[in-house]
């Protein structure tokens, strides 16, 4: 009888447990494809003895499991808390699903749908595990130049369509051998569902060509040996990387570095260097924790570093970075470059394979044809690059280690998770001119393209157009609204009009510096700030609302409105783009109104130039400029640092470098300023600033002292304006704030009294303009959306009438 009761009791427990088992649907959205999420889910489900399945979907990752409520909750918690390190979850949910019984746990293939709503995964640098396997003689991937796994390798650069799976990438044509397939299907292997998996048997093939186009070798082991021989023999070799071709040469050989400059038509712009390891870098450079962490990150960017006084590798510093105290250093981000760097065992110059100013070359046929004049040998491979990218570049301010992104590209682009658009409209923001990018907003996601070059050049224009088309194709939706800069002569503005005609949608034009302000406000979550924010926007150019060239602006952002409260006093803007290329012209223009006439400027011009330019600066028909970028140029010219630039920003870099030398020796507690504390003014007196600088020059003050005093004066100016306006929060944007010395000075002198906001994940330069254009419209700053009370109606009307509408913000 007792046995019978126990049996019934046990049976009832089992029945109760069976009845409590349900089917749960777990959904994850964010950066969850191409980061090893499905293998992670499989392993966790297997560990917890759960049945069901996981699959990539058109908008994230879908999971089904059979479990009781408690187990489902534990599984869900572990999913979120222990997610793969490369993933970024922005939304997740768990809910009951109609019951379906599963007998095992599986990874299912993608179930295609009509609409794609996905993040794009960036390219990841070589991971430690693959780097280790690269040198393990008994590993099947030993010295294979394209080794990768779920934790590293190309992603964005090879995606042709969404969702992300091998069939949607340029790996599609490489059929995996049985060994690779075994790795791919093994749930506990690091290459489980690694879409880039391949090996020497089934994988990517290399070819080596001479500069005449003759095919020399197609065996990767031979090619690597020949590369080392060439580099050791003062040769220049073009090698295809993840985002495009790089030109390599011996960084310790002055002759070959100068030859590379000659071939690239790049007389002074600094080159980046590739070191085989962080230990090797430490032998030549000062390396902080932040800088080391950045170099070894999955981004593997170029990082600007300060060299040691004694260099172990005897690199040709003056030839690599003429006149500068910092050099751009990187570690190998791809296994091929790791093999080359290790085998060569010395630092290499590693620079984008292009003529200065043009886009990086990434097409194999174009590489063999166009690089013949630059490289002695060209090394290709047959994995197609679909999204070309330069290397990302960052620096850290010397004192406070504030990170400044100088170029956002490989490893960073294109997904941007720090801003969620409010509008449901699909938007294309076309950005600026020289530091070009575009922003694409679709299904509540924000994508900011990689740096696309100077669109004054045809190659950059072509690359820009191709990338926009690539995005439209990938997401399968056309823009419903196009945003553009107000400058009518920018390529991006012309492209916006053409795109609007093509997609039959409206165009909204956003003022350049207001876009800068919107970008830095959004990055720091200040768009909905309840307090006023002073936006200091300093750069070299941008068409203002009054038809003049702005660039020395102080906006107050309050109640969703940007008001221009202060700006540098105007000076003549002459000779269009020539002024930006010749700092002596900025000096001439800015000094037109100063009372010190004996300024030494005439010696910088021929007699004919002097007579002509004097007339130009005094004519009444001039447009005018307030650009701080041109003010930096003018100071650099007056200090005889640079009269004609060979690359954009050269004069400002040399001026920053001079100021840095002073502060390194004397510290940052500077007190002398060209602006009087407590001054009250509406326009910043540009002439007063330059009278002070010329006075110091006439007194024989040292160049580095004047450079330092100029930098400190700008900080003092910000302090004066913030005090006069009674604003505590100050945000900074514009190319001038790439200047790490200026950033440090702001932190040092204002950080205790004010809340300072800099760009976090975008560059302060014009790469952020496209994002700012989108934010300006999306957040309805200055009531921009009131131009169209109902954007959906306008879109519908534009589509019906096949016409475009223009609004100027």
């Amino acid at each position: 009888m007792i046995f019978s009761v126990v049996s019934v009791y046990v049976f009832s427990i089992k029945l109760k447990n069976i009845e409590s088992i349900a089917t749960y649907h777990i959904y994850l959205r964010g950066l969850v494809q191409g980061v090893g999420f499905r293998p992670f889910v499989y392993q966790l489900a297997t560990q917890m003895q759960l049945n069901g399945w996981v699959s990539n979907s058109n908008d994230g990752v879908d999971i089904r499991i059979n479990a009781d409520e408690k187990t489902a909750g534990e599984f869900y918690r572990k999913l979120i808390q222990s997610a793969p390190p490369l993933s970024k979850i922005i939304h997740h949910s768990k809910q009951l699903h109609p019951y379906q019984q599963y007998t095992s746990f599986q990874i299912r293939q993608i179930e295609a749908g009509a609409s794609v709503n996905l993040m794009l995964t960036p390219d990841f640098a070589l991971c430690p595990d693959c780097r280790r396997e690269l040198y393990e003689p008994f590993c099947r991937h030993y010295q294979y130049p394209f080794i990768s796994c779920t934790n590293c390798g190309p992603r964005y650069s090879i995606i042709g369509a969404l969702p992300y799976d091998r069939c949607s990438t340029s790996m599609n044509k490489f059929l995996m051998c049985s060994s690779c397939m075994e790795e791919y299907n093994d749930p506990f292997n690091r290459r489980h569902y690694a879409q880039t998996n391949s090996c020497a048997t089934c994988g990517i093939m290399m070819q080596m060509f001479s500069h005449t186009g003759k095919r020399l070798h197609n065996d990767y082991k031979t090619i690597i040996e020949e590369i080392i021989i060439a580099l050791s023999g003062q040769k220049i070799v073009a090698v295809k990387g993840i985002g495009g071709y790089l030109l390599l040469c011996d960084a310790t050989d002055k002759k070959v570095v100068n030859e590379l400059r000659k071939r690239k038509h790049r007389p002074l712009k600094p080159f980046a260097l590739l070191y085989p390891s962080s230990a090797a870098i430490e032998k030549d450079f000062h390396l902080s924790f932040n800088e080391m962490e950045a170099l070894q990150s999955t981004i593997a960017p170029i990082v600007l570093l300060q060299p040691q006084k004694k260099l172990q590798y005897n690199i040709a510093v003056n030839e690599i970075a003429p006149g500068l105290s910092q050099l751009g250093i990187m570690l190998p981000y791809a296994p091929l470059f790791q093999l080359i760097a290790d085998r060569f065992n010395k630092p290499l110059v590693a620079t984008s394979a292009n003529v200065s100013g043009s886009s990086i070359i990434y097409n194999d046929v174009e590489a063999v044809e166009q690089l013949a004049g630059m490289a002695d040998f060209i090394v290709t491979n047959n994995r197609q690059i679909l999204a070309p990218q330069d290397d990302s570049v960052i620096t850290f301010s010397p004192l406070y280690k504030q990170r400044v992104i100088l170029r956002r590209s490989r490893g960073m682009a294109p997904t941007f998770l720090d801003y969620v658009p409010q509008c449901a409209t699909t938007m294309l923001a076309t950005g600026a001119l020289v530091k070009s990018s575009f922003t694409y907003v679709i299904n509540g996601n924000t994508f900011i393209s990689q740096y696309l070059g100077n669109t004054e050049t045809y190659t950059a224009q072509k690359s820009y157009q191709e990338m926009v088309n690539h995005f439209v194709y990938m997401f399968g939706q056309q823009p419903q609204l196009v945003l553009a800069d107000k400058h009518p002569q920018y390529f991006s503005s012309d492209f916006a009009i053409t795109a609007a005609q093509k997609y039959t949608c409206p165009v909204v034009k956003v003022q350049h510096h207001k876009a800068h302000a919107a970008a830095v406000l959004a990055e720091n979550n200040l768009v909905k700030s309840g307090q006023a924010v002073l936006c200091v926007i300093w750069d070299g150019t941008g068409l203002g609302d009054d038809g003049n060239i702005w660039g020395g602006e102080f906006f107050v952002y309050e109640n969703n409105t940007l008001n221009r409260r202060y700006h540098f006093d105007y000076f003549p803007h002459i000779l269009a783009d020539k002024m930006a290329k010749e700092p002596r012209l900025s000096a001439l223009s800015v000094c037109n109104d100063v009372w010190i006439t004996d300024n030494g400027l005439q010696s910088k011009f021929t007699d004919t130039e002097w007579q002509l330019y004097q007339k130009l600066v005094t004519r009444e028909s001039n447009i005018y400029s307030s650009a701080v970028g041109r003010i930096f140029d003018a100071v650099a010219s007056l200090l005889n640092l640079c009269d004609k630039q060979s690359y954009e920003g050269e004069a400002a870099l040399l001026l920053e470098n001079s100021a840095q030398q002073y502060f390194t020796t004397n510290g940052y507690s500077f007190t002398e300023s060209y602006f009087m504390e407590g001054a009250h003014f509406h326009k910043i007196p540009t002439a007063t600033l330059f009278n002070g600088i010329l006075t110091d020059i006439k007194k024989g003050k040292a160049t580095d002292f004047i450079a330092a005093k100029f930098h400190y004066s700008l900080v003092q100016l910000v302090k004066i304006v913030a005090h006069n306006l009674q604003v505590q929060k100050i945000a900074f944007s514009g190319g001038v704030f790439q200047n790490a010395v200026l950033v440090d000075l702001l932190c040092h002198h204002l950080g205790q009294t004010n809340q300072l906001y800099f760009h976090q994940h975008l560059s302060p330069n014009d790469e952020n303009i496209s994002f700012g254009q989108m934010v300006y419209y999306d957040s309805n700053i200055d009531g921009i959306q009131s131009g169209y009370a109902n954007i959906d109606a306008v879109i519908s009307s534009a589509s019906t009438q096949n016409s475009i509408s223009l609004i100027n913000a």
Side-chain angles (χ1 to χ4, degrees):
M1 184 67 180
I2 295 174
F3 176 77
S4 177
V5 172
V6 171
S7 298
V8 171
Y9 178 70
V10 171
F11 176 76
S12 67
I13 291 176
K14 288 183 176 180
L15 184 62
K16 184 178 180 180
N17 286 341
I18 291 171
E19 289 175 349
S20 68
I21 297 296
T23 299
Y24 288 89
H25 173 209
I26 296 173
Y27 166 69
L28 305 164
R29 188 163 71 86
L31 208 58
V32 292
Q33 293 193 14
V35 292
F37 218 105
R38 289 177 296 175
F40 161 70
V41 173
Y42 182 97
Q43 292 169 25
L44 181 61
T46 303
Q47 176 189 327
M48 296 182 67
Q49 297 182 330
L50 297 175
N51 295 333
W53 56 262
V54 59
S55 174
N56 280 348
S57 68
N58 278 11
D59 59 357
V61 169
D62 279 322
I63 304 166
R64 302 283 196 280
I65 56 167
N66 291 147
D68 59 59
E69 184 177 356
K70 181 180 178 181
T71 305
E74 183 183 356
F75 177 75
Y76 181 55
R77 178 180 56 80
K78 288 182 177 180
L79 274 180
I80 307 306
Q81 293 181 355
S82 304
L86 298 179
S87 66
K88 293 181 181 178
I89 301 170
I90 61 173
H91 174 78
H92 53 86
S93 63
K94 175 178 71 72
Q95 57 188 2
L96 282 169
H97 191 75
Y99 183 76
Q100 186 171 357
Q101 186 175 351
Y102 304 109
T103 59
S104 64
F105 198 89
Q106 299 175 334
I107 294 180
R108 290 188 175 181
Q109 293 297 320
I110 294 169
E111 297 179 8
S115 178
V116 175
N117 181 16
L118 285 171
M119 302 297 181
L120 290 172
T121 307
D123 298 322
F124 297 120
L126 183 66
C127 72
D129 288 327
C130 284
R131 181 176 283 108
R132 173 179 47 79
E133 289 181 345
L134 198 59
Y135 290 105
E136 289 183 348
F138 299 106
C139 176
R140 57 182 299 271
H141 295 282
Y142 176 64
Q143 297 201 348
Y144 175 55
F146 304 97
I147 186 174
S148 67
C149 67
T150 53
N151 298 320
C152 68
R155 301 291 192 274
Y156 173 53
S157 61
I158 62 171
I159 294 174
L162 293 170
Y164 175 75
D165 223 332
R166 193 178 182 105
C167 62
S168 303
T169 73
S170 54
M171 290 298 297
N172 184 41
K173 69 178 182 179
F174 300 101
L175 299 178
M176 285 183 280
C177 65
S178 59
S179 297
C180 283
M181 188 61 77
E182 184 179 345
E183 290 177 327
Y184 185 84
N185 289 322
D186 180 357
F188 298 97
N189 191 291
R190 202 175 75 255
R191 295 185 173 85
H192 184 42
Y193 269 69
Q195 308 305 332
T196 56
N197 193 29
S198 65
C199 70
T201 302
C202 63
I204 299 155
M205 303 295 293
M206 296 171 63
Q207 293 189 89
M208 187 175 194
F209 295 85
S210 70
H211 69 279
T212 62
K214 180 182 178 182
R215 186 183 288 106
L216 301 174
H217 307 285
N218 60 9
D219 172 68
Y220 73 83
K221 293 180 180 178
T222 303
I223 289 173
I224 291 172
E225 291 299 330
E226 290 297 322
I227 290 173
I228 303 307
I229 292 170
L231 293 172
S232 302
Q234 296 187 318
K235 301 298 183 184
I236 298 167
V237 184
V239 180
K240 185 179 182 181
I242 287 178
Y245 281 82
L246 291 182
L247 293 170
L248 306 178
C249 73
D250 185 351
T252 68
D253 191 311
K254 297 179 181 180
K255 182 179 178 181
V256 72
V257 174
N258 285 328
E259 180 62 25
L260 178 58
R261 288 201 173 281
K262 179 181 175 182
R263 294 184 189 182
K264 269 188 66 102
H265 306 292
R266 184 171 171 162
L268 295 172
K269 189 176 182 180
F271 289 132
L273 299 184
L274 178 70
Y275 274 70
S277 66
S278 54
I281 294 174
E282 286 184 297
K283 293 176 181 179
D284 277 352
F285 293 89
H286 298 284
L287 200 55
S288 70
F289 173 81
N290 305 73
E291 291 159 345
M292 175 74 83
E293 187 177 49
L295 285 164
Q296 295 177 340
S297 71
T298 59
I299 299 169
I302 295 169
V303 180
L304 301 192
L305 299 177
Q306 191 84 22
Q308 306 267 15
K309 288 184 177 179
K310 186 177 181 181
L311 302 173
Q312 179 161 325
Y313 287 103
N314 197 29
I315 56 175
V317 174
N318 293 330
E319 287 70 26
I320 292 164
L324 301 177
S325 60
Q326 288 186 311
L327 281 76
I329 310 299
M330 65 190 299
L331 289 170
Y333 63 86
L336 175 56
F337 291 127
Q338 186 71 66
L339 290 167
I340 293 169
D342 283 336
R343 200 75 60 85
F344 190 63
N345 201 30
K346 286 193 294 183
L348 288 162
V349 168
T351 185
S352 298
N354 58 356
V355 176
S356 275
S358 299
S359 296
I360 188 170
I361 292 173
Y362 67 97
N363 178 278
D364 297 336
V365 174
E366 290 180 359
V368 174
E369 292 176 351
Q370 298 179 22
L371 295 179
M374 281 183 265
D376 298 296
F377 300 98
I378 300 111
V379 177
T380 70
N381 68 67
N382 62 342
R383 181 174 63 197
Q384 187 181 5
I385 296 172
L386 301 178
Q389 301 163 86
D390 287 281
D391 298 312
S392 293
V393 183
I394 67 173
T395 188
F396 291 90
S397 63
L399 186 61
Y400 288 89
K401 300 304 175 186
Q402 175 75 34
R403 187 178 78 155
V404 181
I405 297 173
L406 304 178
R407 184 166 70 202
R408 177 183 176 272
S409 201
R410 178 188 51 74
M412 293 183 168
T415 296
F416 189 78
L417 300 174
D418 297 308
Y419 182 84
V420 179
Q422 307 303 305
C423 296
T425 306
T426 300
M427 291 182 277
L428 169 65
T430 57
L433 179 70
V434 177
K435 305 287 188 183
S436 66
S437 74
F438 65 84
T439 294
Y440 202 73
V441 168
I442 183 168
N443 297 328
N445 296 325
T446 300
F447 302 95
I448 306 173
S449 77
Q450 66 273 32
Y451 161 75
L452 292 169
N454 179 358
T455 51
E456 291 175 309
T457 67
Y458 170 74
T459 57
Q461 292 175 8
K462 183 170 175 284
S463 179
Y464 184 103
Q465 292 170 325
E466 288 173 349
M467 284 310 304
V468 171
N469 292 337
H470 186 54
F471 268 67
V472 173
Y473 174 79
M474 277 195 298
F475 289 102
Q477 291 188 42
Q478 297 179 352
Q480 298 171 302
L481 175 70
V482 180
L483 299 153
D485 193 277
K486 276 191 171 183
H487 200 301
Q489 295 177 0
Y490 282 3
F491 163 79
S492 58
S493 301
D494 285 340
F495 180 84
I497 300 297
T498 302
Q501 291 171 336
K502 178 179 179 180
Y503 301 123
T504 60
C505 65
V507 178
V508 174
K509 294 194 172 185
V510 178
Q511 199 279 322
H512 188 93
H513 300 92
K514 292 178 181 178
H516 266 306
V520 72
L521 288 168
E523 266 212 89
N524 289 281
N525 199 28
L526 293 170
V527 173
K528 298 186 184 300
S529 173
Q531 294 178 284
V533 182
L534 175 62
C535 299
V536 183
I537 314 298
W538 292 348
D539 64 4
T541 189
L543 184 62
D545 289 336
D546 60 1
N548 289 310
I549 303 300
W550 291 3
E553 313 308 310
F554 295 84
F555 295 99
V556 171
Y557 178 75
E558 193 170 19
N559 299 321
N560 209 37
T561 301
L562 281 167
N563 288 311
R564 189 190 191 207
R565 297 295 299 274
Y566 288 86
H567 63 84
F568 275 81
D569 207 0
Y570 285 135
F571 49 88
H573 182 81
I574 61 173
L575 295 170
D577 292 341
K578 187 178 178 68
M579 187 171 179
K581 296 173 182 176
E582 299 188 16
R584 60 180 187 153
L585 293 175
S586 293
L588 176 66
S589 177
V590 170
C591 291
N592 183 53
D593 285 337
V594 301
W595 56 266
I596 297 177
T597 55
D598 182 19
N599 50 34
L601 279 173
Q602 188 168 352
S603 63
K604 298 177 183 291
F605 301 89
T606 66
D607 290 341
T608 302
E609 286 175 332
W610 183 253
Q611 293 174 10
L612 174 62
Y613 296 162
Q614 286 283 359
K615 292 178 182 178
L616 288 178
V617 295
T618 56
R619 66 181 180 181
E620 294 183 1
S621 60
N622 278 328
I623 61 172
Y624 291 87
S625 174
S626 63
V628 174
R630 300 290 76 80
I631 289 173
F632 266 81
D633 289 349
V635 177
S637 177
L638 290 173
L639 294 178
N640 295 316
L641 296 173
C642 182
D643 287 329
K644 293 183 179 181
Q645 299 191 113
S646 66
Y647 60 91
E648 188 216 356
E650 180 182 1
L653 271 175
L654 293 170
L655 187 59
E656 176 188 357
N657 190 69
S658 182
Q660 179 60 64
Q661 291 173 1
Y662 180 89
F663 290 120
T664 298
T665 303
N666 300 282
Y668 281 76
S669 297
F670 204 85
T671 57
E672 293 194 44
S673 172
Y674 294 116
F675 295 109
M676 291 178 58
E677 188 168 355
H680 288 270
F681 33 69
H682 175 62
K683 294 178 183 177
I684 310 303
T686 309
T688 298
L689 170 64
F690 279 86
N691 275 322
I693 291 170
L694 288 168
T695 298
D696 278 350
I697 292 173
K698 290 180 72 67
K699 288 180 178 178
K701 298 281 188 179
T703 296
D704 63 346
F705 170 83
I706 298 173
K709 185 175 178 180
F710 168 67
H711 278 74
Y712 173 74
S713 298
L714 296 178
V715 174
Q716 184 70 10
L717 174 63
V718 173
K719 180 180 179 181
I720 291 168
V721 171
H723 176 76
N724 290 347
L725 294 171
Q726 294 297 294
V727 176
Q728 292 298 309
K729 295 184 176 182
I730 312 175
F732 304 90
S733 188
V736 167
F737 295 105
Q738 295 176 117
N739 185 319
V741 172
L742 183 59
V743 169
D744 261 350
L745 286 167
L746 288 164
C747 293
H748 191 72
H749 293 278
L750 302 183
Q752 297 300 314
T753 57
N754 295 87
Q755 294 170 262
L756 308 182
Y757 299 91
F758 300 95
H759 284 283
Q760 304 297 314
H761 303 291
L762 299 176
S763 173
N765 67 34
D766 280 3
E767 288 179 35
N768 74 56
I769 287 292
S770 65
F771 174 66
Q773 291 166 345
M774 181 276 294
V775 171
Y776 186 86
Y777 179 86
D778 183 65
S779 299
N780 196 29
I781 296 175
D782 294 334
I784 176 60
Q785 293 179 16
S786 63
Y788 285 136
N790 187 336
I791 190 68
D792 293 329
V794 174
I795 291 166
S796 175
S797 172
S799 299
T800 302
Q801 299 174 20
N802 194 30
S803 62
I804 60 169
S805 303
L806 283 167
I807 309 177
N808 286 307

